Amino acid sequence: MMQVTDSERQPPHLAPSTVSRMTEVVIKQAQVLHLLNTLDTSIAVGPDKVSPRLLCSCADLRTRLLLLLLAPPLTCLFQLCLVQEIWPSLWKKVDFVPVHKKKSRSVVGKGRSASDLLLNLCTKWHQSLDESKISCVVALDKAGAFDRVWQSGLVMKLQALGIAGSILVLLNDYLQERTQWSRIR
């Protein structure tokens, strides 16, 4: 198991790298509905046992109405997380299913690298900018990340980048007491 040595030490004080501060996020029902409509249906069902396919399937009017009914309570739930500054513990549990390459079950992955992901994200950010939309992103490479990241140092860096208030507290809570396991088929 890989771990950060001396993870309890105090992080050094970092000078702010921006004068801008991000202290709040406004979650709108229209945004939640849009996200429900664009969920990646190829990902696995999580510990909550809710299928992304169920959430974003818009094949007929009944399903569309289901999404319209789901958006308001989910919006309230997300806003409550921000107000209470707590990330639900169920959302901190990750169930990984290894994706085997064609010829070997001992090698997992899809042949994609962090560079591929960054290129994809940059493309999406540019599209958002072209459409005059605001994009806020926190990206983490999950592979072995949480047992190697110095969480107090990460929180200090986020603070130096202008993340503050409830958002910083919520992100810090997200980093605490996470669990993950792999399911082998």
Side-chain angles (χ1 to χ4, degrees):
M1 170 188 276
M2 296 174 278
Q3 291 186 339
V4 175
T5 58
D6 198 16
S7 62
E8 298 300 317
R9 73 184 187 278
Q10 283 292 97
H13 176 72
L14 299 175
S17 60
T18 180
V19 293
S20 300
R21 306 296 284 167
M22 183 175 170
T23 59
E24 68 177 351
V25 172
V26 177
I27 299 172
K28 296 182 180 174
Q29 186 173 318
Q31 294 168 318
V32 173
L33 183 59
H34 172 72
L35 291 172
L36 285 170
N37 278 314
T38 57
L39 280 173
D40 182 358
T41 59
S42 66
I43 61 175
V45 173
D48 58 6
K49 305 298 182 210
V50 178
S51 165
R53 188 162 296 169
L54 169 71
L55 291 175
C56 77
S57 174
C58 299
D60 60 30
L61 181 59
R62 289 176 301 181
T63 307
R64 178 79 179 144
L65 290 174
L66 174 65
L67 292 180
L68 289 171
L69 292 173
L70 281 175
L74 286 176
T75 303
C76 289
L77 178 62
F78 300 148
Q79 290 170 340
L80 186 62
C81 292
L82 283 167
V83 169
Q84 293 184 344
E85 301 173 340
I86 296 173
W87 200 275
S89 59
L90 185 61
W91 295 354
K92 294 182 183 187
K93 297 177 181 178
V94 179
D95 183 8
F96 287 101
V97 178
V99 178
H100 300 284
K101 293 191 177 190
K102 292 179 184 176
K103 295 184 180 180
S104 173
R105 292 187 61 83
S106 64
V107 180
V108 295
K110 289 185 177 180
R112 302 282 185 212
S113 67
S115 302
D116 293 332
L117 174 63
L118 287 174
L119 180 61
N120 185 14
L121 290 173
C122 285
T123 302
K124 290 183 187 243
W125 295 330
H126 284 277
Q127 288 171 346
S128 290
L129 288 172
D130 290 344
E131 297 170 9
S132 299
K133 293 181 179 176
I134 297 173
S135 296
C136 300
V137 178
V138 175
L140 300 169
D141 182 354
K142 184 63 185 116
F146 284 102
D147 52 1
R148 290 190 287 181
V149 170
W150 182 27
Q151 294 174 355
S152 341
L154 176 59
V155 170
M156 185 63 73
K157 283 185 179 184
L158 289 171
Q159 206 168 11
L161 291 170
I163 307 297
S166 295
I167 298 170
L168 184 65
V169 175
L170 183 62
L171 288 172
N172 186 44
D173 184 71
Y174 171 76
L175 294 170
Q176 308 303 315
E177 300 176 16
R178 296 185 54 80
T179 58
Q180 60 185 13
W181 61 92
S182 294
R183 185 169 27 117
I184 309 295
R185 294 182 190 186

